[in-house]
Amino acid sequence: MTGAASNGEGLAEHPLVAVYPGARVPAAEVDTHPLSGPDGILQIHVTRYPVEPPGLMWQSPPSLTVHLMAVEPRPWAETQARIPASWTEDQRRKLSVENAGQDRLAASATVVIAHAGDAPPLLALDSLRRRRAAAQAVGVITDERTVLVWLSTSDLAAASGYTVTMTADDAPGPLSLYPSALLGWALWWREQADRLTDEHVSFEELPPPPLELDVVEAWNPYRVSLTAHERTTFTPLPRPPREPDGPEYR
């Protein structure tokens, strides 16, 4: 079921055009819509909507199933180095508050993405996954064309899943939406499997992702190659020792 989709239901209600294509936003509601591409490659149309719509004209159609995507802010040590020396203390405090707000949104997001920074990509991915245990998909941007993505294969967020390298063949397009596109493929596959078997299919039965996808935003397709489909089980964090005076002993 890793081929192209043939389901065109609901197209009349689906805008297929992002509210703010190409914009760097800290958080957004994202809809993923699979369509069959002209060359047989599955297209995942990704549409971003504001988390707090400024008006009715921007509200996402109620017929869509959207998930919350959050961009984890860069570590303060990296941000601080880019702050102009002329900034006042109030400006610096405002930036700190904005970063804290982004972090709160990321804590409840289904999909989270961050920059790997100077850390090894897999280590950065594992660290992000541990911090955002509730996320179904997490990704780290490793360069201007590549995102390393981990996709949970459990209906509930768990430590088992696929680790996939997603690399743009040409223009990278919306890198921050690559993990959402991969989750969109997984949701589409499960929907197709549910229809074939006439029962609910778990993410645990998810096959390896396809070798290619077209991530489409605002009608612009970006061909993405998917490599290194590794079945990964991360080692859970050790539990801290229980305190004799803790509530579990009372």
Side-chain angles (χ1 to χ4, degrees):
M1 291 189 181
T2 55
S6 58
N7 178 25
E9 298 178 2
L11 291 186
E13 300 177 351
H14 196 283
L16 291 180
V17 177
V19 171
Y20 29 39
R24 291 180 57 85
V25 292
E29 289 185 325
V30 177
D31 170 63
T32 58
H33 198 77
L35 291 174
S36 178
D39 54 358
I41 301 298
L42 184 67
Q43 293 186 340
I44 304 293
H45 289 253
V46 284
T47 306
R48 291 183 285 183
Y49 300 94
V51 174
E52 298 178 358
L56 292 178
M57 62 180 297
W58 296 119
Q59 287 183 347
S60 58
S63 59
L64 302 181
T65 301
V66 295
H67 63 259
L68 177 63
M69 181 275 294
V71 179
E72 189 173 82
R74 291 178 180 270
W76 178 251
E78 295 184 16
T79 306
Q80 194 172 26
R82 294 173 171 79
I83 296 177
S86 59
W87 270 30
T88 65
E89 189 60 33
D90 285 343
Q91 289 175 310
R92 296 170 185 267
R93 188 180 300 111
K94 181 180 178 182
L95 178 61
S96 179
V97 170
E98 289 175 351
N99 282 346
Q102 292 181 32
D103 203 54
R104 284 193 295 271
L105 277 174
S108 60
T110 300
V111 175
V112 182
I113 190 165
H115 285 267
D118 296 330
L122 190 58
L123 183 61
L125 184 71
D126 186 23
S127 177
L128 179 61
R129 185 199 62 80
R130 291 173 186 270
R131 293 196 304 274
R132 308 303 177 197
Q136 191 78 41
V138 298
V140 291
I141 298 173
T142 59
D143 59 43
E144 65 277 4
R145 295 174 58 245
T146 307
V147 182
L148 183 63
V149 182
W150 179 77
L151 175 68
S152 171
T153 53
S154 173
D155 287 326
L156 299 175
S160 296
Y162 287 106
T163 301
V164 183
T165 300
M166 303 181 70
T167 306
D169 291 357
D170 193 3
L175 282 176
S176 62
L177 295 179
Y178 281 17
S180 289
L182 187 60
L183 177 60
W185 162 80
L187 294 172
W188 166 82
W189 181 90
R190 189 172 66 175
E191 181 182 353
Q192 306 305 304
D194 286 351
R195 291 179 178 178
L196 287 175
T197 61
D198 199 26
E199 61 183 30
H200 179 69
V201 177
S202 170
F203 266 4
E204 294 177 357
E205 301 177 54
L206 196 70
L211 299 179
E212 289 181 305
L213 284 176
D214 279 342
V215 178
V216 183
E217 186 182 40
W219 295 107
N220 293 315
Y222 303 93
R223 180 62 52 84
V224 178
S225 295
L226 287 74
T227 57
H229 305 70
E230 295 186 6
R231 188 80 177 185
T232 306
T233 299
F234 288 97
T235 303
L237 284 171
R239 292 181 178 272
R242 296 190 297 178
E243 296 291 337
D245 294 333
E248 63 271 24
Y249 286 98
R250 296 173 187 170

